[in-house]
DNA sequence: CGAGATATTTCAGTAGACTGAACTAAATTG
DNA sequence: CAATTTAGTTCAGTCTACTGAAATATCTCG
């Protein structure tokens, strides 16, 4: 990466992202799994507790605990499904989470503004492709895990 | 970010990084704290178990467990300090960790190669500044944690 | 409507990581 | 060289998240 060690830079970015993620978790009083659950609900939209259990490969009982913690943290809401009142629908509350990330968002927007549109396009492209690679490599690791 | 939602893209990148990180941990049979410990030793170089305990704000007993797991995973080595044989020096084994990340490294290098030197410079610059922002925001969260 | 199936919660038990303190070994100090 | 301090490991106890199963509520279907 043009004179810089891309490998090392990527590692440092990863460490920084993970550290931030952990700080958010500590701040909210939720676990890493809780955050993964939140990301799923936020990304895929409102879903039942049972569906989330399947996505996480956890038991329904575990999801009750996860929803409890996320609800207590104020970033998830439980609503009984009007169509099937046994079900509980879990909804991400982007407002509460957004407030927490507001500082980061502002700083990142300011950073983005320092680049030309063409540069912004290059960065967005790189980020998008990096996400694809990470997903692919995550899959590869998950497949051959020597468990 | 040029037509794309930078906020959302950043969130997806974060999720992908964290997912990869978790997959590595699962693959190696180490915890998130173990990985943080490894990153510290790898980043700051060989250090004693006691120093690592201070950096992690954990008890010496906890560090024994961490070193056990990292050693079993093959990415950390314990060596008695020749100058003070009570001490145990912890050394990151970049080879073993590197093997694990080889696939990712290759894919990222290939990605990098698709950009012009100027674009590579832009990306490296963005990554560097993003790391700074993340560190700063992590600090902010760690400071006002409502524990 | 009644029987069985399904969704979530609750709860007892389990597993893993951390603390605090005792223990061992090695250094320092008087 | 004896007494004290320091480094790391060990170990019992604690805490927390998860599982598996029982309990509760609701839906579906004959």
């Amino acid at each position: 990466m043009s004179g810089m060690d891309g490998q090392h830079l990527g590692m440092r970015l990863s460490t920084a992202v993970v550290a931030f993620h952990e700080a958010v978790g500590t701040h909210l009083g939720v676990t890493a799994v809780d955050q993964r659950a939140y990301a799923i609900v936020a990304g895929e939209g409102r879903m039942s507790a049972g569906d989330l259990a399947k996505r996480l490969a956890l038991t329904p009982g575990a999801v009750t605990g996860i929803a409890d913690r996320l609800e207590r943290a104020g970033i998830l809401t439980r609503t009984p499904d009007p169509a099937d009142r046994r079900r509980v629908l879990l909804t991400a509350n982007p407002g509460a989470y957004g407030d927490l990330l507001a500082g980061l968002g502002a700083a990142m927007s300011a950073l983005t503004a320092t680049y030309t549109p063409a540069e912004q396009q290059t960065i967005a492209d790189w980020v998008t492709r990096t996400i694809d690679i990470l997903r692919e490599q995550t899959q590869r690791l998950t497949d051959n895990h020597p468990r």
Side-chain angles (χ1 to χ4, degrees), chain A residues 40-124:
Chain A
I40 290 171
V41 176
E44 301 182 10
R46 187 168 67 176
M47 67 177 63
S48 74
D51 288 346
L52 180 58
K54 274 173 212 135
R55 291 285 281 100
L56 292 170
L58 291 178
T59 59
V63 171
T64 298
I66 290 169
D68 285 349
R69 288 186 294 273
L70 290 174
E71 207 171 28
R72 188 174 341 121
I75 60 176
L76 191 102
T77 313
R78 269 192 181 93
T79 334
D81 184 342
D84 180 347
R85 292 196 333 259
R86 294 168 303 179
R87 281 208 172 90
V88 168
L89 295 178
L90 306 177
T91 315
N93 180 349
Y97 201 68
D99 288 352
L100 193 68
L101 299 187
L104 179 63
M108 289 304 292
S109 293
L111 174 61
T112 299
T114 66
Y115 295 97
T116 65
E119 287 170 338
Q120 291 180 23
Q121 183 53 51
T122 300
I123 294 163

